Amino acid sequence: AGVSQERQQGILDAYHYTLSQVDLYGPTNFSSILEATIQYASAGVSQERQQYHILLVITDGEITDMEKTIEKIVHASSLPISIVIVGVGTADFTKMETLDADDNPL
């Protein structure tokens, strides 16, 4: 079943409200949030307690700690985590395409 239009609008409304409450600024470092996600996903995992995590990062800037970010993504690849990074705005996000590893493995 799909998400209803009402629920979609609720998600968009929450996003717009939150965006109006924060100031976006650089540098755009991802490695620290990736490390926190790795720690969270690693804690207490067992055969009886299986969980899957999705980290959604919405950014308005180019990643400034790319090597550390790649290191953390490689580390996270053995954990039950999906990492979704969405670039919004007018920044140049072409370097982020490296992270999808479509052409070359990380």
Side-chain angles (χ1 to χ4, degrees):
V3 177
S4 72
Q5 276 189 316
E6 183 178 296
R7 292 178 88 188
Q8 288 176 356
Q9 188 59 51
I11 292 168
L12 289 173
D13 290 346
Y15 169 75
H16 288 290
Y17 172 78
T18 302
L19 192 58
S20 72
Q21 302 298 309
V22 298
D23 292 321
L24 303 175
Y25 61 93
T28 305
N29 295 325
F30 287 179
S31 61
S32 58
I33 188 64
L34 290 169
E35 179 61 31
T37 303
I38 289 166
Q39 294 300 318
Y40 184 79
S42 299
V45 175
S46 68
Q47 192 64 25
E48 294 78 32
R49 185 177 172 263
Q50 295 182 20
Q51 295 182 340
Y52 191 82
H53 307 277
I54 301 171
L55 172 64
L56 172 61
V57 179
I58 301 173
T59 181
D60 70 335
E62 184 179 342
I63 298 172
T64 53
D65 64 342
M66 183 63 87
E67 287 194 32
K68 287 183 180 179
T69 295
I70 290 171
E71 178 184 309
K72 298 300 179 185
I73 289 173
V74 169
H75 183 190
S77 68
S78 64
L79 296 169
I81 300 173
S82 286
I83 301 167
V84 180
I85 302 173
V86 178
V88 295
T90 58
D92 181 6
F93 299 111
T94 54
K95 288 183 184 176
M96 287 182 10
E97 291 179 16
T98 303
L99 302 178
D100 66 20
D102 284 348
D103 299 323
N104 296 304
L106 295 176

